[in-house]
Amino acid sequence: MFMNDSEFDAALVTAVLAEAGLRGWRATSVVEAARTAGLDLGRVRTRFPSKLTVLIRFGSIADQAALGDASAVGAVKDKLFDMIMRRFDVLQAHRAGVLAVLDAAVVDPALGLFLGRLSGRSMAWLLEAAGLSAAGLRGTLRAQGLLGVWLWSVRAWREDESADLSATMTAVDKALDRAGQLARYIGDEPPLAEEAVALEPLPPLDPAI
């Protein structure tokens, strides 16, 4: 059956992450994953010359899911919350493979840095979609703040075994409140949240997709 590029990419990403969930990220082979899925290797070579390009495409798929239903109205915090949770829905669908990638990043600084950059780019897109500029110094600070929200929330997601990701939702909500509190402190407008809440300082963050 012929697949268009989007369908082909999704199939390859799914296959690679499935293998990563079974064998670990370092032992995963794009070629072997493609063979298992019955995908044309020539087309795989053209579209995915390395495992890192698989992660780039996966990040784009997660962003597309987050941005596809982005609302143009409503509070900034609410819009960001919805988009972040839609990203988590994509990660959850490939949970074992994503956890394997995150585990590999802990012992591979280069992979961790790569994932951090991917996540930062994604957070800039989410900011723009929520109506906040990610340009200039202030935009960069906003993106870094939202990246902190994402990384903190990923820590909760890794431990969240609930069917509805309730612990993850709580973490996202609290982290966005904290980011909104900080935004008001430095004089950024508009704030991420209507009301500030007192939160304990967050522990060091892990790299995430």
Side-chain angles (χ1 to χ4, degrees), residues 144-160:
Q144 287 298 310
L146 191 58
L147 178 60
V149 169
W150 173 252
L151 296 177
W152 167 248
S153 302
V154 167
R155 289 173 64 101
W157 174 77
R158 293 180 70 167
E159 305 298 326
D160 189 355

Side-chain angles (χ1 to χ4, degrees), residues 118-137:
L118 279 184
S119 296
R121 184 192 308 171
S122 295
M123 295 306 107
W125 272 97
L126 266 58
L127 279 174
E128 294 282 355
L132 294 177
S133 173
L137 177 58

Side-chain angles (χ1 to χ4, degrees), residues 22-42:
L22 295 173
R23 304 178 57 186
W25 178 248
R26 293 186 66 183
T28 294
S29 163
V30 173
V31 171
E32 291 304 318
R35 281 178 173 155
T36 299
L39 300 175
D40 179 80
L41 292 183

Side-chain angles (χ1 to χ4, degrees), residues 67-202:
L67 298 167
D69 294 323
S71 174
V73 297
V76 171
K77 179 195 170 182
D78 292 341
K79 289 186 282 187
L80 289 173
F81 178 88
D82 290 342
M83 287 188 286
I84 288 173
M85 289 309 304
R86 285 196 291 272
R87 281 195 108 240
F88 275 120
D89 287 341
V90 176
L91 269 62
Q92 184 72 4
H94 304 278
R95 185 177 181 87
V98 173
L99 291 177
V101 174
L102 297 179
D103 289 342
V106 173
V107 296
D108 184 344
L111 177 60
L113 180 61
F114 176 79
L115 294 179
R117 288 175 176 172
L118 279 184
S119 296
R121 184 192 308 171
S122 295
M123 295 306 107
W125 272 97
L126 266 58
L127 279 174
E128 294 282 355
L132 294 177
S133 173
L137 177 58
R138 178 164 288 184
T140 298
L141 291 174
R142 287 172 177 158
Q144 287 298 310
L146 191 58
L147 178 60
V149 169
W150 173 252
L151 296 177
W152 167 248
S153 302
V154 167
R155 289 173 64 101
W157 174 77
R158 293 180 70 167
E159 305 298 326
D160 189 355
E161 298 181 355
S162 64
D164 60 356
L165 296 182
S166 56
T168 303
M169 287 191 286
T170 298
V172 173
D173 185 66
K174 288 183 177 180
L176 284 172
D177 278 339
R178 184 175 185 270
Q181 184 180 15
L182 178 60
R184 277 184 291 272
Y185 179 78
I186 64 176
D188 193 14
E189 294 292 343
L192 297 181
E194 296 300 328
E195 298 294 337
V197 297
L199 295 177
E200 295 297 324
L202 302 182

